[in-house]
Amino acid sequence: MQKKAPSQRQLRVSEEIKKLIAQLLIKNDLFIKGLKAPYLMITEVQVAPDFSYTTLYVRAMPPVDTDEQVMLLNDHKGAFRKAIGQNIRLRITPEVRFLPDTRFEQDERIEQILNSPRVKADLDKYKK
């Protein structure tokens, strides 16, 4: 079963939330102890069709551990929800959850598989 594409409103709200959270992290407005905000990227924001929750995908740049930073962000998700409620006009303020963005690791793994000698040998058979 395929997911339905997000509506224009969902995309617009997602972008607003992404900008707001990025500003909070850049300014360090929430003063979260142990958070390495300069090393964090919000790679994607998905808002539920009913706007009841939003998922923010986070990636940390080395040497910072992404999972550790995601745990810290989730520990303070109430503060992020409050900021969303105060700065973005919505009927319902969505619940916030942070997840690590693993797409980069998946891309690397696919690249390794495609470059493996076994796969290259199979591809060479079909080039002729």
Side-chain angles (χ1 to χ4, degrees):
M1 183 176 200
Q2 265 187 326
K3 279 180 147 180
K4 187 178 172 186
S7 69
Q8 286 298 313
R9 184 164 186 249
Q10 281 176 276
L11 293 172
R12 191 172 58 246
V13 169
S14 293
E15 210 43 49
E16 287 297 315
I17 290 173
K18 185 176 183 178
K19 286 179 194 174
L20 175 65
I21 300 300
Q23 287 174 352
L24 290 172
L25 292 174
I26 289 169
K27 293 178 182 176
N28 196 17
D29 283 347
L30 302 177
F31 304 106
I32 300 171
K33 186 177 180 178
L35 189 67
K36 309 272 193 270
Y39 293 94
L40 298 180
M41 293 183 289
I42 305 296
T43 56
E44 185 178 357
V45 177
Q46 294 177 348
V47 177
D50 62 354
F51 296 89
S52 61
Y53 67 91
T54 184
T55 304
L56 293 99
Y57 291 92
V58 179
R59 173 136 173 101
M61 293 181 277
V64 176
D65 180 38
T66 299
D67 293 331
E68 180 183 307
Q69 295 298 300
V70 167
M71 279 183 13
L72 274 171
L73 291 168
N74 277 316
D75 288 345
H76 295 85
K77 63 186 175 183
F80 289 102
R81 183 177 188 211
K82 182 178 178 182
I84 291 169
Q86 291 173 342
N87 293 287
I88 300 175
R89 283 188 54 193
L90 295 169
R91 190 171 53 85
I92 298 171
T93 303
E95 292 287 329
V96 177
R97 68 178 173 189
F98 294 91
L99 293 175
D101 189 348
T102 58
R103 290 180 295 181
F104 295 99
E105 288 83 10
Q106 292 170 350
D107 290 348
E108 288 174 15
R109 178 71 181 129
I110 290 170
E111 190 71 29
Q112 287 175 351
I113 291 170
L114 291 174
N115 288 326
S116 71
R118 186 174 169 192
V119 172
K120 282 189 176 189
D122 282 346
L123 291 174
D124 289 340
K125 289 179 193 176
Y126 296 103
K127 284 185 179 178
K128 298 176 182 180

